[in-house]
Amino acid sequence: MPALERLLILGGTGEAAALARALAERFGDALAVTTSLAGRTPDPAPVPGALRVGGFGGPEAMADYLRSARIDLLVDATHPFAAQISRHARLAAQAAGTARLLLSRPRWQPKPGDRWIEAPDLDAAAAALPRLGRCAFVTTGARGLVAFAALSEMRFVVRLIAPPRAPPPLAADLVIARPPFALDEERLLLQRHAVEVVVSKASGGARAAKLDAAREAGLPVIMIERPAPEPGPAVASVEDAVAWIAARYGAR
Ligand code: NAP
């Protein structure tokens, strides 16, 4: 059985933080866990174990980090839309000979009454918007808002986790708030802004309350499809990740 002393979590998600907590509970001091964040969110919530913040500087530099920190297992628990860091993680783990596990949330499944319209990317979402409504609630992040900039006849409500570093490229009511959001909050937001259509990434995981609020209000949701996941061993939940680790390295 291979030895497991040092584990690196690529984080920035609720699952990554939950995994750090679950590993601390299960393995205690026998396992040194470091969580890596890109540094996009100011004041991230504390997690057990060590924290490193900021990009590695590409896959070769990440491979150097894996070697010098003597990481035994890399768990990629980044967001399904963070495709670049996941690709770098695969390349770096390969180059350094480090084991890698992907923790990837299950997809959201539509419920009866959901009016989801799939779009391959933000440009396709922008092209579909004008025939679906005049006020769009957009939760796809600060990057990529430029895709909607030419839709001058529409109103936008854009929700972001933190104030944008640069002014958004379109006129929008900005809502700065961190998830999770309760159904009541989401209902109120849709009503207050007279939202007619929602634009969301198909992030998956726990079903977002905005989807239920949109269904109740009969609103269409443009769902941006996920990028293809990186190949390799993968689990869909924190419990499955802990079980995978215990099975491969031995339960302690
Ligand atoms: P990305 O486009 O895949 O990655 C861009 C660059 O950011 C990477 O090449 C890497 O820089 C750095 N990076 C990303 N995640 C990192 C991590 N966990 N630790 C260290 N460096 C990291 O990523 P993104 O979409 O901007 O997402 C950034 C972070 O936000 C991720 O941790 C992700 O889990 C989280 N997040 C993303 C979304 C989303 O919709 N994209 C949603 C919620 C949370 P170097 O090349 O210099 O190493």
Side-chain angles (χ1 to χ4, degrees), residues 11 21 24-25 45 61 64 68 79 83 134 146-147 173 226-227:
R21 289 191 293 272
E25 202 168 291
D64 288 343
S68 63
H79 192 272
R134 282 152 304 157
V146 71
D173 284 341
R226 286 182 183 200

Side-chain angles (χ1 to χ4, degrees), residues 4-5 31 42 103 110 119 121 126 137 141 174 200 204 230 236 245-246:
L4 178 61
E5 289 175 17
L31 181 61
L103 170 52
D121 53 31
F137 176 39
L174 288 187
S200 172
E230 288 296 330
I245 292 166

Side-chain angles (χ1 to χ4, degrees), residues 10-13 36-38 40 52 54-58 78-79 81-85 88 143 201:
L10 297 177
T13 57
S36 172
L37 300 178
R40 305 270 194 274
R52 68 159 299 289
F56 293 89
T78 57
H79 192 272
F81 279 81
Q84 181 165 304
I85 187 70
H88 289 186
R143 269 195 297 168
K201 289 176 173 169

